[in-house]
Amino acid sequence: YCALTDVIFTQIKDMGCKIAIDDVGTGHSSLVNLRKVDLDYLKIDQTFVRDIGVDTITGHLLQNMITLSHDLSLDVVAEGVETEFQAEYLKERGVSYLQGFLFAKPMPLKEFLSNEFDT
């Protein structure tokens, strides 16, 4: 991370784009970035979503990530939502955005653009 990153992120945000840290909770992201980058979203990795209702340690970690996001005024995106139970669990905890196979499978861009989705 450097001053050039600040310039690039500022330009991106000036264009109206939003910035997210992906894979929160895994080795690919770092909480130190929360101090350095003007973020809009935290995306919680699917490994935490997959274990909802199964692993209490993961549940505590997930809740802490959600709470941290809310405390920092960041919206939360949960990756890998595959069941209604997971979706309801996350909605009840104030997770703003859900993505996963529960809603749609990966598809080519042309097919995605031609579909109408319920919001």
Side-chain angles (χ1 to χ4, degrees), residues 50-83:
R50 180 180 50 230
D51 290 339
I52 288 174
V54 178
D55 182 349
T56 41
I57 293 173
T58 301
H60 291 301
L61 293 171
L62 175 61
Q63 183 57 55
N64 284 319
M65 287 186 276
I66 293 168
T67 300
L68 175 64
S69 299
H70 292 160
D71 288 348
L72 297 172
S73 300
L74 299 172
D75 281 325
V76 184
V77 180
E79 301 176 337
V81 178
E82 296 183 359
T83 68

Side-chain angles (χ1 to χ4, degrees), residues 9-17:
F9 282 168
T10 299
Q11 291 173 343
I12 289 170
K13 292 195 76 131
D14 287 347
M15 291 187 305
C17 297

Side-chain angles (χ1 to χ4, degrees), residues 46-118:
Q46 66 184 342
T47 55
F48 296 95
V49 173
R50 180 180 50 230
D51 290 339
I52 288 174
V54 178
D55 182 349
T56 41
I57 293 173
T58 301
H60 291 301
L61 293 171
L62 175 61
Q63 183 57 55
N64 284 319
M65 287 186 276
I66 293 168
T67 300
L68 175 64
S69 299
H70 292 160
D71 288 348
L72 297 172
S73 300
L74 299 172
D75 281 325
V76 184
V77 180
E79 301 176 337
V81 178
E82 296 183 359
T83 68
E84 288 290 340
F85 178 77
Q86 292 168 336
E88 286 305 312
Y89 179 96
L90 293 162
K91 287 179 199 174
E92 288 171 3
R93 284 153 182 81
V95 175
S96 306
Y97 301 97
L98 309 176
Q99 76 180 62
F101 288 172
L102 177 63
F103 310 103
K105 304 280 192 239
M107 65 183 75
L109 179 60
K110 186 174 183 177
E111 183 180 339
F112 173 78
L113 294 174
S114 68
N115 280 312
E116 292 184 22
F117 297 96
D118 294 327

